[in-house]
Amino acid sequence: MTTRRHVMLGATGLLAAPGLVATALAAPAVGSPAPDFAGTDTKGAAVRLADLRGRTVVLEWWNHQCPFVGKHYGSGNIQALQKEAAARGAVWIAVQSSAPGEQGFVSADEANALMARRTAVPAHVLIDTPGRIGGAYRATVTPHMFVIGPDGVLRYMGGIDSIASTRVEDIGRATPYARNALVAVSEGRTPAEATTRPYGCVIKYAA
C-alpha cells in the first residue's frame, strides 16, 4: 500500500489559541530559521523552540490512528529513534494537529496514555488543536518529520524514510531519512538529503 502526494488543507496558522502559539508564518525552508512556537505539553511543561537553542530538535507529526504511524510505532522504530535522539542530547517533540472529531485527535491525558502504552519516549507531546504549529511548518501528513539544528536553523524536512508503505518489513529496506538527518545534525554535519517527500495520512486541520 502506498500513499498519494498530499496537500494540506485548512492550515493557515492564523487561529488564536490560549497557551499555544506559533510566531512565524512564512513557509519553512531548509537553511532558514525554523518557525518559533510556544506552548504547554501534555504533562504541563512549558515548551518554546527558542528556549531549546543549543540543542538539536526533532519534530514528529503524530496521529495514533494512522496506519503509517502505526507501522513505525508498532515495530518500535520511532521509539528507537526517540531513544537515540535523547542519547545524542536532542529534544524530540511529537505534535498532534488533528482537529476535534477528526482522526488522530486526542486529549492530553489520552496522548500520555497512548505514549506510555507504546513505551514511546518523546521529550514532549504538544496538542496543536487549532493547527498553528502545523500551519507554521506546513506539515501535511503523519508522520511528517523536521530536524532543527542547535543554531535554530531548519536542517531537514520530509519523510521518515524512503518507502511510502504501511508494511513493517519495508522499514529495514528503506533509507532512514529522518534518522540520517538526526545523526548528521547532532554531529554538526549537513544532512546528505535535506528535503524529501513526506508520506502518510493527511492531517485533518480545523477549518
Side-chain angles (χ1 to χ4, degrees):
M1 177 178 177
T2 58
T3 185
R4 302 183 303 275
R5 183 72 179 267
H6 296 298
V7 178
M8 178 181 65
L9 300 175
T12 64
L14 298 176
L15 299 176
L20 193 59
V21 179
T23 58
L25 297 178
V30 168
S32 296
D36 194 16
F37 58 84
T40 302
D41 74 7
T42 54
K43 296 182 178 179
V47 180
R48 180 162 188 165
L49 181 62
D51 294 337
L52 299 175
R53 189 66 62 91
R55 302 181 68 181
T56 299
V57 175
V58 179
L59 301 181
E60 168 217 344
W61 260 263
W62 172 68
N63 167 359
H64 72 288
Q65 294 176 311
C66 172
F68 297 94
V69 172
K71 169 178 96 171
H72 292 285
Y73 274 92
S75 65
N77 184 48
I78 279 187
Q79 294 93 321
L81 289 175
Q82 291 168 343
K83 290 174 183 177
E84 181 172 4
R88 290 178 174 275
V91 179
W92 187 292
I93 302 175
V95 184
Q96 190 281 115
S97 293
S98 299
E102 298 289 356
Q103 183 194 63
F105 174 77
V106 289
S107 68
D109 287 344
E110 289 169 334
N112 291 337
L114 283 164
M115 289 296 184
R117 192 177 308 145
R118 295 179 173 183
T119 63
V121 287
H124 304 283
V125 178
L126 293 176
I127 306 299
D128 178 37
T129 301
R132 286 186 61 86
I133 301 176
Y137 279 83
R138 306 300 195 265
T140 59
V141 296
T142 54
H144 201 159
M145 307 295 298
F146 298 80
V147 180
I148 301 163
D151 56 358
V153 171
L154 183 61
R155 299 298 179 185
Y156 174 79
M157 61 183 195
I160 188 169
D161 64 23
S162 64
I163 299 181
S165 85
T166 59
R167 296 184 295 267
V168 169
E169 57 268 27
D170 286 334
I171 294 174
R173 302 190 299 110
T175 301
Y177 292 141
R179 180 183 182 274
N180 288 350
L182 164 66
V183 171
V185 174
S186 66
E187 294 179 352
R189 297 183 286 107
T190 299
E193 291 153 310
T195 302
T196 67
R197 178 177 174 174
Y199 70 86
C201 300
V202 175
I203 298 171
K204 305 299 193 300
Y205 285 95

